[in-house]
Amino acid sequence: MSVLQNGNTVQNGATTLVDVQSSRDNRHIAIDKVGIKGIRHPIKISDKTGEVQSTVAELTMAVFLPQQFKGTHMSRFVEILEARHKNLDVPTFKELLPEMLSRLESKAGEIQMRFTYFVTKKAPVSGVESYMDYDVTFVGKSENGETDLQIKVVVPVTSLCPCSKEISAYGAHNQRSHITITARLSKIAKDENTLWIEDLIHIAEKSASSELYGLLKRPDEKFVTEHAYNNPKFVEDIVRDVAHKLNEDTRVAHYIVEAENFESIHNHSAYALIEKNKI
Amino acid sequence: MSVLQNGNTVQNGATTLVDVQSSRDNRHIAIDKVGIKGIRHPIKISDKTGEVQSTVAELTMAVFLPQQFKGTHMSRFVEILEARHKNLDVPTFKELLPEMLSRLESKAGEIQMRFTYFVTKKAPVSGVESYMDYDVTFVGKSENGETDLQIKVVVPVTSLCPCSKEISAYGAHNQRSHITITARLSKIAKDENTLWIEDLIHIAEKSASSELYGLLKRPDEKFVTEHAYNNPKFVEDIVRDVAHKLNEDTRVAHYIVEAENFESIHNHSAYALIEKNKI
Amino acid sequence: MSVLQNGNTVQNGATTLVDVQSSRDNRHIAIDKVGIKGIRHPIKISDKTGEVQSTVAELTMAVFLPQQFKGTHMSRFVEILEARHKNLDVPTFKELLPEMLSRLESKAGEIQMRFTYFVTKKAPVSGVESYMDYDVTFVGKSENGETDLQIKVVVPVTSLCPCSKEISAYGAHNQRSHITITARLSKIAKDENTLWIEDLIHIAEKSASSELYGLLKRPDEKFVTEHAYNNPKFVEDIVRDVAHKLNEDTRVAHYIVEAENFESIHNHSAYALIEKNKI
Amino acid sequence: MSVLQNGNTVQNGATTLVDVQSSRDNRHIAIDKVGIKGIRHPIKISDKTGEVQSTVAELTMAVFLPQQFKGTHMSRFVEILEARHKNLDVPTFKELLPEMLSRLESKAGEIQMRFTYFVTKKAPVSGVESYMDYDVTFVGKSENGETDLQIKVVVPVTSLCPCSKEISAYGAHNQRSHITITARLSKIAKDENTLWIEDLIHIAEKSASSELYGLLKRPDEKFVTEHAYNNPKFVEDIVRDVAHKLNEDTRVAHYIVEAENFESIHNHSAYALIEKNKI
């Protein structure tokens, strides 16, 4: 039995190739999201300093499919990516959404774009510069003309255990931790492009026992060791301190903050999460 | 400044070690989830045939923490796991939740338990038996005495492209795909333990172009090749066919079904998702 | 053109299915290893205490293929696994190799079997028991009747930085580290089965700043914090201390020891490796 | 006991911070490799068309450490990376090695640099252009003035099973596969920079049932489906066909070629490997 039910066709030189995707579907079930996942593409991102950085993104692009259509046209998602040669930042990322909905003839859709992002930092004492790398994801959703934008950053930091410090005669266990902030932009932040990746990184790093650096000389290492010891933090402290700052920030409409400590005394993590819808 | 604000202490032989976690917190921010993540533990799971299979789980266990407490007691989560020597299946997994809430003195909490699960299958022609492996996650949530249970299964299958078959003179591209079903149990399924992992696997496998096997002899390979060719499916078809079956199934209160085809002609996936709250 | 060149066939009821793999190959290129990879299977491992633990393995099984044959018979590898119902430990793992070579009619082959392994530990002060989990790989190679056995263990530990301790007024950065030992058994260790997974774990843990535990009560946490502070170790110290012990151990014929510190002050690792062929 | 044994120091303003790494070690064990692992850095790579592409690399950098030194100076590896602002391709990558050995005062060392690499391809019928992405690793080793260079590429392709095609009345199972070539450059290829990433990709893609594309229109999909059906390949065929081409290629001194088929009818892979030292 042929999968084809309405005989749409396309010309291919002398041949005629049927458009199976456009044929009618009779199961009466709409599909919330359909598209492509795990496609890698080189992108350019404008950062807060005005510089443009080149990096590699992995994307998911999907649209709503009404019940009457058998399939979406997967190649069009790739065409949209290929056609996009200008820089990407929050404002230009926003333009991808209506373009995708128009090209795929759908009323709703979503794009996720995950990439490695670099920030140049100065070491705290010597001032030597080096890159720090972060995993960042832009998530854009559009439905019935409404656009929703989220920025997610995974910020690696140091956490030093308050309990271990308090009960031990000397030392305190500490470890690398990941602070993950997923922030939905408020209307003003979306319209005026006022929330930067760097802003969320800053909030996370100031809520940890210490921030991390690519390059530290000995005086810097002394500084970060003592600074972390002076700022012990449980996962609970970290998420609360981030939450407190995001509560005050009018650029953020909704957030999830997570902290995961890759405990240096266990083979599992300590973990905490706070979610808040501010509107 | 000491992190300690109320001087809770515990006896340790002659020494007294303060209980930092129980000290008072003044930020007025409750924490939605706090606990441990990524801990591995050997478990036993009763399967639908009545057999008990031994496997390895990775767990996340977390509770709600009211605003007035500085921290939770992480070691108690591990104690609960260590104390648990009997078999785990849906009914016994349900008992872990109230045990955790009581031990951590919290009103709400969540346990996720991911493990490899094996089903013995007969090859379609030769009948030779072999294991198929699946990733399964149990998710249990409890809040104010209400318990919510979800079973998530990732089912690897074959998908064969209807478009490729239709337009090509011979052959059709096909590939391994993952069908993921996340099903929340209805009240009756929870109370009477009527939904098995095997039931969800069966629904997924019957919605694919072909199911997979650990061991196939030549007559079996001929069978699955031809069977897949006779059952071409887009990701859209797969999620719709699964959704149709879950819509009819009174044991399922809510579901998300996803299909991801690791396209053999691209280096990215085709992807589709349907979510439905049936109640 | 048919891939078939010599018409080997097999009976399948009334049908005759050709054996493509057994057909002649004319490229004159032998294949060093051909087989199956990434297959998961439940296994039972006897541990040093005499207990049998059930776990899940991921296996690679491969054999040498002479130049004149087009292909190997992949399903036979799975049959060997399925037929194996008894416990696996070093002695029984050794038996798998000749069985595979005989079944696949090859003169040389290799089996890798990676699994999660649990050891019950007592916390250093309270004595409470809990599991620690390790990634272990058995590698067996056989060629011309000679069998070679390797045990690889990844042991998570704490490392505390000697430089950070020395230069800082208080505290010292520390972190989770992985010590990986890959040990080839000497003739005596192979013949008399005298080298246990636990022995390699013990060597690694005694070479770290501190070992890890699943469960620690407050007095234990004080102990491990102070113990790590009293035993600062660079990656260089760790691999040297392990190497020193393995040099003395007559059960080990060759080893690679690696240490990777997931630095708590950087977003990259410190890494060291020593390899030694003792014979 | 202090870790310090010879009192090397460095000035830090008014303070004097000891150089623990330079202190004497008395275990008499040299370290084969010590350095940093898993550091991410933005890089620029010149491709065969003369274009420069910006991408993100993950690097491992390590040197030999003689027995008399306690530790290496980890921060110097990062300084070398940070100082490097020009483009990287095989010729400039070669320069990193002597620079690292000089800066770390070592006689031997190794750099591994893994990155995503993009090639623009034309679809086979429509000619539409799109990116294909590949994982590439440069490995450079230097010892006693001799430099060794390797290029490793992971090339995703389609494989179609000859056995399945032969025994089935219609169709044939096919799937995504990875062909991995690790090629050590011959003297002439090193001196004259004549081996490009694109050359190895080309060899791999021509040895598969079909190459992959980011973007295919319907006539292209018909073409690749039929082309793969006309070119059935076992993993054994793929590695032999690649080996045959590399045997003829004077730019390659040594190679390992691997093929892994993510079988569409099983949940495990078929795998083959050939290694050859041509000199």
Side-chain angles (χ1 to χ4, degrees), chain B residues 185-248:
Chain B
L185 278 61
S186 65
K187 188 170 182 319
I188 190 162
K190 256 189 312 189
D191 291 348
E192 302 180 6
N193 304 307
T194 53
L195 185 66
W196 292 90
I197 298 168
E198 286 84 345
D199 299 332
L200 296 175
I201 290 173
H202 184 78
I203 288 172
E205 293 187 339
K206 293 309 166 199
S207 304
S209 295
S210 174
E211 60 187 296
L212 307 188
Y213 300 86
L215 181 53
L216 294 171
K217 305 305 291 177
R218 259 199 302 278
D220 302 312
E221 184 169 355
K222 174 181 167 61
F223 178 88
V224 297
T225 301
E226 296 172 357
H227 183 74
Y229 192 80
N230 290 330
N231 289 280
K233 299 267 187 145
F234 287 129
V235 276
E236 292 94 326
D237 294 313
I238 293 171
V239 292
R240 275 174 167 149
D241 288 351
V242 172
H244 179 74
K245 290 169 192 131
L246 295 176
N247 285 345
E248 313 266 290

Side-chain angles (χ1 to χ4, degrees), chain A residues 25-263:
Chain A
D25 198 274
N26 295 316
R27 278 163 292 196
H28 301 107
I29 300 178
I31 296 179
D32 295 293
K33 298 184 197 177
V34 56
I36 60 173
K37 189 173 177 177
I39 190 164
R40 293 196 289 183
H41 213 78
I43 63 164
K44 290 181 192 295
I45 293 276
S46 301
D47 66 26
K48 198 180 178 180
T49 68
E51 296 288 311
V52 173
Q53 55 178 274
S54 296
T55 184
V56 175
E58 184 171 316
L59 295 103
T60 297
M61 305 172 78
V63 294
F64 173 81
L65 185 75
Q67 59 167 54
Q68 66 270 25
F69 294 114
K70 180 166 176 68
T72 193
H73 290 87
M74 300 287 181
S75 63
R76 295 185 189 169
F77 294 101
V78 185
E79 285 171 342
I80 292 164
L81 271 187
E82 291 291 335
R84 179 63 54 170
H85 286 304
K86 45 183 158 164
N87 296 344
L88 277 167
D89 46 17
V90 170
T92 50
F93 178 76
K94 276 190 298 188
E95 298 168 13
L96 276 180
L97 283 163
E99 193 175 322
M100 177 176 77
L101 297 192
S102 155
R103 190 84 181 77
L104 273 298
E105 299 165 48
S106 180
K107 63 168 190 179
E110 179 172 336
I111 302 178
Q112 296 193 16
M113 183 170 88
R114 185 165 63 83
F115 52 94
T116 306
Y117 189 75
F118 293 94
V119 173
T120 300
K121 284 188 170 191
K122 281 184 197 301
V125 177
S126 69
V128 293
E129 292 196 343
S130 63
Y131 282 121
M132 251 300 289
D133 55 309
Y134 303 89
D135 284 318
V136 178
T137 308
F138 285 173
V139 181
K141 296 179 192 177
S142 192
E143 185 160 5
N144 299 321
E146 286 292 304
T147 296
D148 176 58
L149 287 176
Q150 290 174 36
I151 300 176
K152 177 179 175 176
V153 292
V154 180
V155 182
V157 298
T158 307
S159 63
L160 186 138
C161 179
C163 171
S164 170
K165 176 181 173 180
E166 187 72 31
I167 64 180
S168 303
Y170 38 80
H173 80 80
N174 52 77
Q175 54 267 320
R176 207 185 292 163
S177 303
H178 281 176
I179 303 177
T180 303
I181 300 177
T182 308
R184 200 168 73 227
L185 278 61
S186 66
K187 189 171 181 321
I188 190 161
K190 257 189 313 189
D191 292 348
E192 302 181 6
N193 304 307
T194 53
L195 184 65
W196 291 89
I197 297 169
E198 286 84 345
D199 300 332
L200 296 176
I201 290 173
H202 183 79
I203 288 173
E205 293 186 339
K206 293 309 166 199
S207 304
S209 295
S210 174
E211 61 187 295
L212 307 190
Y213 299 87
L215 181 52
L216 294 171
K217 305 303 293 177
R218 262 199 301 276
D220 303 312
E221 184 168 355
K222 174 181 167 61
F223 178 89
V224 297
T225 301
E226 295 171 358
H227 183 75
Y229 193 80
N230 290 330
N231 288 280
K233 299 268 187 143
F234 287 129
V235 278
E236 292 93 328
D237 294 312
I238 293 172
V239 293
R240 275 173 167 148
D241 287 351
V242 172
H244 178 73
K245 290 170 191 130
L246 294 176
N247 285 344
E248 313 265 291
D249 197 317
T250 55
R251 296 170 299 182
V252 175
H254 173 275
Y255 64 82
I256 298 173
V257 52
E258 298 165 279
E260 179 171 6
N261 291 0
F262 304 102
E263 298 284 287

